[in-house]
Amino acid sequence: MSARAGIVVTGTEVLTGRVADRNGPWVADRLLELGVELAHITICGDRAADIEAQLRFLAAEGVDLIVTTGGLGPTADDMTVETVARFCGRELVLDTELEATIAGILRSLMARYTGVDFDAVMAANRKQAMVPAGAQVIDPVGTAPGVVVPGSPVVMVLPGPPRELQAMWPSAVASDIVAQAIAGRTVYHQDTVRMFGLAESALAETLREAQRTVGDFSALEITTCLRRGEVEMVTRYEPHSAAVYAQLMALVRERHGSMVFSEDGSLVDDQVAALLAGRRIATAESCTAGMVAARLTDRPGSSAYVAGGIVAYANEAKTALLGVDAALIDAHGAVSQEVAEAMAAGALDRFGADTAVATTGIAGPGGGTADKPVGTVWFCVRLADGTTVSRSLRLPGDRSDIRERSTTVAMHLLRRTLRGEAGSA
């Protein structure tokens, strides 16, 4: 059996839902990449008894490694290290070298303030330099260090802020203690395929067919999910089963080839960014209210190709900011092919761009009609050479779903237009 792990996410704010758990899923993905089987993710509040109960539970499940997140700060409710030390039967000791490291970090942070009693601040933070005897210290990114505690199971203790945890992860897994704990891991390949315009049920039917026709199908561990209007298929398999995965992909391409847009895990956002190299794009948005522009500018370096965007929510804004003829809106309505195309043309003109994308629709819950029900959205991509591609869809879901899925449709329309596949967009 492969090495197995469990994750304990601590924090009353996470337990009660005030803060979403970002660490559990992230650590789970990293463990799977290492070939470590994930047994459980548990969430508990900032109570020593509850944290220890989760540790006992996972140990009883026979895991080789436990990863805890959170509870490493200087305050009274930060008790993970102390609890882990007690669970592992190890005394807490002051690490003077670590104390000096923390002091240096605090001096740097305090330098911008005046009148601060540094000794008092250091006394409050000395708790963070107390580590279980024999543990390996992971240097802090903030002020809280991580620790890896030997034993059966090994316990890796990491901070709660995702930025700090993620930065410390490579050092933590490079520990000899962790290496020994996961020595029995199985090395897997993991491939992610993304599809657009495909119903999840259609992919499920293809996978049922694969069960009947594809070699040792049981050697493939497949998960599928619908995410922002795209279907994602993640497949894990051992290297010797690569030929089986190749058979599966041949069937997927045969049935859904035109809908597969990524076989290497890349997002449509990544692909659009590459296609926009050397171009300048502008956005004109109504129902999505800047969400398309937000996706385009999510990537570092997007200033090289994003000229700007206009949110023209009111009809008067469409006329004043994008030059849409008021008579056009009166004749066809704001949610129409004609207005979407005029918005895209206006964005090209206003920003001197060579590429534009426009959205106008009814996100609801009100505003729909028999002819244009809630979820009706018009999209247009226009290029400086006159290429104009317009599409209308009726998207399902509530207001939030419609707006988010609209951004995905807009990105795919951009991708296909820039690739010269407008006829299949």
Side-chain angles (χ1 to χ4, degrees), residues 282-284 307-310 317-325 342-353 356:
T283 62
I310 293 174
K318 294 178 177 67
T319 299
L321 300 176
L322 292 168
V324 178
D325 190 339
M343 289 171 65
L348 277 181
D349 179 63
R350 293 296 189 270
F351 288 97

Side-chain angles (χ1 to χ4, degrees), residues 259-273:
M259 300 172 187
V260 174
F261 71 90
S262 171
E263 293 189 26
D264 61 2
S266 62
L267 301 171
V268 67
D269 306 56
D270 302 319
Q271 297 179 13
V272 166

Side-chain angles (χ1 to χ4, degrees), residues 84-100:
V84 167
R86 184 167 56 250
F87 169 75
C88 294
R90 292 175 180 266
E91 181 185 0
L92 276 178
V93 296
L94 178 65
D95 185 319
T96 55
E97 185 176 337
L98 177 59
E99 184 181 28

Side-chain angles (χ1 to χ4, degrees), residues 80-250:
T80 303
V81 172
E82 179 183 349
T83 305
V84 167
R86 184 167 56 250
F87 169 75
C88 294
R90 292 175 180 266
E91 181 185 0
L92 276 178
V93 296
L94 178 65
D95 185 319
T96 55
E97 185 176 337
L98 177 59
E99 184 181 28
T101 298
I102 294 172
I105 294 170
L106 289 172
R107 282 195 182 90
S108 176
L109 293 174
M110 295 297 105
R112 70 193 73 174
Y113 304 105
T114 58
V116 176
D117 185 343
F118 179 78
D119 289 338
V121 172
M122 190 59 222
N125 281 269
R126 186 165 286 114
K127 172 184 178 182
Q128 294 177 297
M130 301 293 293
V131 300
Q136 180 172 336
V137 174
I138 309 301
D139 288 339
V141 173
T143 61
V147 293
V148 180
V149 187
S152 183
V154 167
V155 183
M156 180 193 298
V157 183
L158 296 175
R163 182 186 67 84
E164 296 180 23
L165 179 148
Q166 293 173 20
M168 293 167 68
W169 178 260
S171 297
V173 296
S175 159
D176 290 340
I177 301 170
V178 173
Q180 291 172 17
I182 64 175
R185 66 195 176 106
T186 301
V187 176
Y188 289 98
H189 284 312
Q190 179 168 297
D191 289 294
T192 300
V193 176
R194 304 183 196 279
M195 292 154 269
F196 179 69
L198 177 70
E200 198 172 8
S201 58
L203 178 59
E205 175 56 36
T206 297
L207 294 178
R208 284 192 290 271
E209 174 66 20
Q211 284 182 298
R212 297 189 292 270
T213 62
V214 170
D216 184 13
F217 185 78
S218 63
L220 306 179
E221 180 184 317
I222 302 172
T223 57
T224 66
C225 70
L226 183 65
R227 196 190 308 275
R228 293 204 296 194
E230 298 170 348
V231 175
E232 178 183 278
M233 181 178 80
V234 179
T235 308
R236 284 206 314 155
Y237 54 92
E238 294 183 50
H240 62 76
S241 297
V244 181
Y245 179 71
Q247 292 176 43
L248 169 65
M249 282 308 302

Side-chain angles (χ1 to χ4, degrees), residues 2 6 27 80 87 93 104 159 183 223 259 274 303 339 347 350 359 379 383 387 399:
S2 178
V27 172
T80 303
F87 169 75
V93 296
T223 57
M259 300 172 187
S303 58
V339 169
R350 293 296 189 270
T359 63
F379 305 86
L383 307 182
T387 299
R399 182 179 180 84

